[in-house]
Amino acid sequence: MKKTVKKNFIPYIIFGIMAIFIIIALEYADKKVNDLTYDEFEKALVSNKIEEIVLIPKDRAKIYEITGKLENYKEKETFYVRVPYSDEVINRILKAREENNFKLTTEADPESSTILLLLVNVLPIVLLLGLGFFFFTRQMNGANKSLDFGKSKAKLNVDKGKITFKDVAGLEEEKEEVKELIDFLKEPKRFQSLGARIPKGVLLVGPPGTGKTLLAKAVAGEANVPFFFISGSDFVELFVGIGASRVRDMFKQAKQSAPCLIFIDEIDAVGRQRGTGLGGGHDEREQTLNQLLTEMDGFGANEGIIIIAATNRPDVLDPALLRPGRFDRQVTVNLPDIKGREEILEVHAKNKILVPTITLNNLARRTVGFSGADLENLLNEAALLAVRRKKKAITMSEIDEATDRVLMGPAKKSKKYTEKEKKLVAYHEAGHVVLGLKLNDANDVQKVTIIPRSYAGGYAMMVPKEERYTSTKNELLEQIIGLLGGRVSEELIFGEITTGAHNDFEKATKIARSMVTEYGMSDLGPMQLEHQQEAAFLGRDYNKSRNFSNEVAHEIDIEMRKIITECYEKATKILKQNKKLLNLIANTLVEYETLTKEDIEYLVENGKMPEEDKN
């Protein structure tokens, strides 16, 4: 830090010196000095043309230096003359002063002052030498940096021990998996005495925002050991061989600090499968990967270096990385369940003021599918909204608005519906709500709004009634029915259809195709006709393997159409039977624009909204 501060001050010092020289140069730029001979000075003295004289004795040279001004001189014009060092000269000047009464000033010899002599004679030399040394060292540092490509960019975490498992919420099973790494780093001899080999590398796999990096930091904090962290993209450079050199240097630094942890984030940037893809490989990246494989399998069991890597694309990693002796353990960091979400919310709500009516358990139930990063962002957005609205605590209103912002973006309040559009969107969303209420296995509607957000004119926030790891055929069918409710409602009430259901169709078609080609839930039988192929560098369109003929493809289309058609007919039947409820919810949406789950339940039970809730 001190070196950085010094380097930051050097340019200001140089700028100050240059400014001083510029000021001095400007000061003397317009000055004109006329050199006079002794005879010329004598004539000016006799003819009374002198207006001002400054007399400077030079004892060492035995002369007087005289400067001054003559008649008709300009403002910055002066003369300079050197005269003999004698009393006769002084007497003549004094006599002329008595006759003409000009201004006479005597100054001391500056050479008699040691300090001034040093400043005038030594300081400029010192400044020039200093500037020369500065620019020389700067050039040398630049040359050294140009030869420093191969140095590792891994950074040592200086906050060692500050992040522990207490800061990691909702990952109980994952923490249990990595606890033995901490025990090994603390007491390696206990494991070695029984011949146990600790995994040399642990791969954290999971969706973005689930806490993989935080978990790695917590392992280092619990073990209280040095923690080197680097991104996979930091290894790859333009020049071939630089990445491999950086890998070697990183492990060299780690061995000097052992026992320690190395964390490589987004390892898929450098660890992709070799020799695959369209258009050839990447020589620099593959050399870097080869060096990483060599280093991981090269250091001994007693060196105490453990590598933790994180990725959300384990399917593209090279198989050699995942074999025993390298990343021989994978820890899947999934999206948190309701208990995990509640614990994460408790961590992020510590420094926030919530009204007593908000319980974190209810909030966790409303946020199915949110990652830890999403939950942190949700509470932060709610706090920002509360500050903007000048509230002293975060209310449910800010929580709802923050949820919408995280999922769909800010509301487009400037966008105005026509009355027909507003009514049409209200009936579309009301169709989703009615089917969610009447179907036991359909997704539950937590909130419905007709306020435009992002590209949507309105939306219904639908979450599963219960968190499940598997889904039955009936549950998938009822999800499709719920998704088709918007289009059915439009056609039933207005006798026409709009483009507002395109996203619903996308989701419904995806579920129907998966039922036919992957889950074996159709008349084609229990066969998997499509699956995601684990091939690196291939785009999504190329990444799906097709193991069927054109005739079977036609049958798949028929089965998908059959599923969608049957679900559409069921949705139509349910909405016709509950047309009164559909009208009630749609008309209430037109008036209130947004309804929560509690509002919908009250509306269904009482047939109207509470009077105090009216806008």
Side-chain angles (χ1 to χ4, degrees):
M1 179 63 73
K2 292 181 179 179
K3 290 182 179 179
T4 304
V5 172
K6 289 180 180 178
K7 288 181 179 179
N8 289 339
F9 271 110
I10 288 175
Y12 294 103
I13 295 172
I14 295 172
F15 178 78
I17 295 171
M18 292 176 65
I20 292 171
F21 278 116
I22 290 172
I23 292 171
I24 294 172
L26 292 174
E27 179 68 21
Y28 288 94
D30 298 335
K31 287 190 175 183
K32 182 179 180 182
V33 180
N34 300 316
D35 290 328
L36 301 182
T37 63
Y38 181 68
D39 292 337
E40 290 173 340
F41 174 71
E42 283 283 350
K43 290 179 181 179
L45 200 62
V46 172
S47 59
N48 297 328
K49 292 182 178 182
I50 295 178
E51 293 184 350
E52 181 182 347
I53 284 181
V54 178
L55 187 65
I56 304 173
K58 297 287 185 178
D59 296 336
R60 294 182 181 180
K62 300 299 181 181
I63 60 171
Y64 289 108
E65 286 186 353
I66 299 176
T67 61
K69 299 187 69 173
L70 299 180
E71 291 179 356
N72 301 323
Y73 268 21
K74 296 180 181 179
E75 183 180 354
K76 292 187 177 182
E77 187 177 3
T78 59
F79 69 83
Y80 173 80
V81 64
R82 301 174 67 169
V83 300
Y85 190 87
S86 65
D87 294 338
E88 183 181 353
V89 173
I90 297 299
N91 292 332
R92 289 179 187 174
I93 294 173
L94 292 176
K95 183 178 179 181
R97 180 173 176 273
E98 291 177 0
E99 294 176 357
N100 195 26
N101 197 24
F102 56 79
K103 184 179 179 181
L104 176 63
T105 306
T106 305
E107 293 184 359
D109 184 3
E111 294 181 0
S112 62
S113 173
T114 306
I115 297 175
L116 187 60
L117 182 65
L118 288 172
L119 289 175
V120 173
N121 297 314
V122 179
L123 184 60
I125 299 173
V126 172
L127 289 175
L128 289 173
L129 290 174
L131 287 172
F133 179 75
F134 168 74
F135 286 112
F136 177 75
T137 54
R138 187 172 182 180
Q139 291 293 329
M140 290 298 296
N141 288 336
N144 290 335
K145 287 180 180 178
S146 65
L147 300 174
D148 204 23
F149 284 126
K151 293 295 183 180
S152 171
K153 290 188 176 182
K155 298 177 181 178
L156 180 63
N157 184 22
V158 295
D159 298 331
K160 183 174 65 174
K162 288 189 177 182
I163 297 178
T164 63
F165 282 158
K166 293 180 180 179
D167 303 302
V168 183
L171 299 176
E172 298 303 324
E173 292 80 6
E174 291 81 355
K175 286 189 281 189
E176 288 294 330
E177 282 287 324
V178 296
K179 272 185 178 178
E180 66 180 28
L181 300 180
I182 300 169
D183 296 335
F184 174 78
L185 290 169
K186 288 182 176 179
E187 301 177 280
K189 292 183 180 179
R190 185 162 63 90
F191 290 83
Q192 296 163 5
S193 62
L194 295 178
R197 180 183 65 83
I198 202 71
K200 294 182 179 179
V202 177
L203 183 66
L204 302 179
V205 179
T210 50
K212 301 183 290 294
T213 303
L214 184 64
L215 182 62
K217 289 183 179 180
V219 172
E222 290 285 341
N224 199 28
V225 296
F227 177 75
F228 293 91
F229 59 95
I230 190 172
S231 172
S233 60
D234 287 335
F235 290 111
V236 182
E237 278 287 353
L238 175 65
F239 304 104
V240 176
I242 297 300
S245 176
R246 287 178 177 174
V247 171
R248 289 191 293 270
D249 189 64
M250 180 181 69
F251 278 91
K252 180 180 178 182
Q253 293 180 28
K255 290 175 184 178
Q256 294 172 353
S257 304
C260 68
L261 280 172
I262 297 176
F263 176 63
I264 305 175
D265 199 10
E266 305 296 345
I267 194 173
D268 52 276
V270 69
R272 286 175 177 258
Q273 187 174 343
R274 293 167 291 182
T276 59
L278 302 176
H282 190 295
D283 193 40
E284 159 63 1
R285 182 189 54 75
E286 291 189 3
Q287 284 198 23
T288 306
L289 175 58
N290 292 337
Q291 186 63 46
L292 181 62
L293 295 173
T294 303
E295 292 289 343
M296 287 189 68
D297 202 25
F299 54 77
N302 299 326
E303 294 191 11
I305 301 174
I306 296 177
I307 302 176
I308 300 179
T311 181
N312 48 30
R313 292 293 309 278
D315 54 303
V316 303
L317 294 181
D318 194 280
L321 269 176
L322 306 178
R323 75 158 177 80
R326 289 172 181 147
F327 287 109
D328 44 11
R329 176 175 296 184
Q330 292 190 30
V331 178
T332 302
V333 185
N334 287 316
L335 292 171
D337 56 12
I338 182 171
K339 182 183 176 184
R341 291 195 298 274
E342 186 175 357
E343 293 175 356
I344 293 171
L345 287 169
E346 287 178 359
V347 171
H348 296 301
K350 285 180 180 179
N351 61 340
K352 295 176 177 63
I353 302 174
L354 304 174
V355 295
T357 55
I358 296 178
T359 60
L360 297 181
N361 182 265
N362 290 336
L363 188 54
R365 293 180 184 277
R366 296 164 57 96
T367 51
V368 178
F370 278 49
S371 66
D374 291 331
L375 294 171
E376 189 275 335
N377 191 28
L378 170 65
L379 289 181
N380 185 61
E381 285 287 345
L384 292 173
L385 286 169
V387 172
R388 289 177 199 161
R389 296 173 181 178
K390 299 181 180 179
K391 293 185 178 181
K392 295 183 178 179
I394 301 171
T395 65
M396 202 63 208
S397 174
E398 284 75 45
I399 295 291
D400 283 336
E401 176 65 19
T403 304
D404 294 341
R405 281 173 172 265
V406 172
L407 292 175
M408 301 289 293
K412 296 184 177 180
K413 296 181 180 179
S414 60
K415 183 178 179 180
K416 300 296 181 183
Y417 283 128
T418 63
E419 288 301 321
K420 182 180 178 181
E421 273 186 317
K422 188 173 184 180
K423 194 173 181 181
L424 196 148
V425 173
Y427 271 97
H428 179 103
E429 301 303 336
H432 293 305
V433 175
V434 172
L435 291 173
L437 292 171
K438 295 302 177 180
L439 296 173
N440 293 327
D441 293 326
N443 286 342
D444 199 10
V445 179
Q446 288 286 340
K447 180 180 179 180
V448 61
T449 179
I450 59 173
I451 298 174
R453 289 179 184 273
S454 185
Y455 295 103
Y459 81 99
M461 181 181 175
M462 305 171 72
V463 298
K465 290 183 171 67
E466 296 179 357
E467 293 188 55
R468 297 180 293 265
Y469 290 100
T470 59
S471 297
T472 65
K473 181 179 180 180
N474 190 60
E475 289 169 354
L476 294 175
L477 289 173
E478 292 198 355
Q479 285 182 29
I480 296 175
I481 295 172
L483 290 167
L484 297 175
R487 166 58 67 85
V488 173
S489 178
E490 292 174 9
E491 190 173 11
L492 185 63
I493 300 301
F494 298 97
E496 61 181 356
I497 57 179
T498 69
T499 60
H502 70 281
N503 186 249
D504 299 330
F505 293 157
E506 180 183 352
K507 295 177 181 177
T509 305
K510 184 177 180 181
I511 295 173
R513 188 170 189 88
S514 297
M515 289 176 66
V516 176
T517 62
E518 295 183 42
Y519 306 147
M521 295 180 178
S522 71
D523 292 340
L524 293 180
M527 296 186 297
Q528 189 180 53
L529 301 172
E530 290 181 346
H531 66 278
Q532 295 293 328
Q533 188 177 11
E534 297 183 357
F537 307 121
L538 295 179
R540 294 182 185 274
D541 293 337
Y542 298 94
N543 203 23
K544 184 168 284 189
S545 174
R546 292 181 49 171
N547 299 318
F548 49 82
S549 63
N550 291 332
E551 289 78 8
V552 175
H554 179 64
E555 292 181 18
I556 290 173
D557 293 338
I558 294 174
E559 289 296 321
M560 288 176 57
R561 189 177 296 110
K562 179 181 176 183
I563 291 173
I564 297 294
T565 302
E566 290 178 354
C567 290
Y568 196 89
E569 291 173 354
K570 289 181 181 179
T572 304
K573 181 180 179 181
I574 293 171
L575 289 181
K576 283 182 178 179
Q577 292 173 351
N578 297 276
K579 194 171 182 180
K580 184 178 179 181
L581 179 59
L582 178 67
N583 290 329
L584 175 64
I585 294 175
N587 292 330
T588 308
L589 266 176
V590 170
E591 183 180 1
Y592 288 83
E593 294 188 337
T594 300
L595 297 175
T596 63
K597 181 182 180 182
E598 294 76 14
D599 295 332
I600 295 170
E601 291 174 351
Y602 186 92
L603 183 63
V604 172
E605 184 177 350
N606 299 280
K608 62 178 182 178
M609 292 290 288
E611 292 296 327
E612 61 270 15
D613 287 347
K614 274 194 175 184
N615 290 332

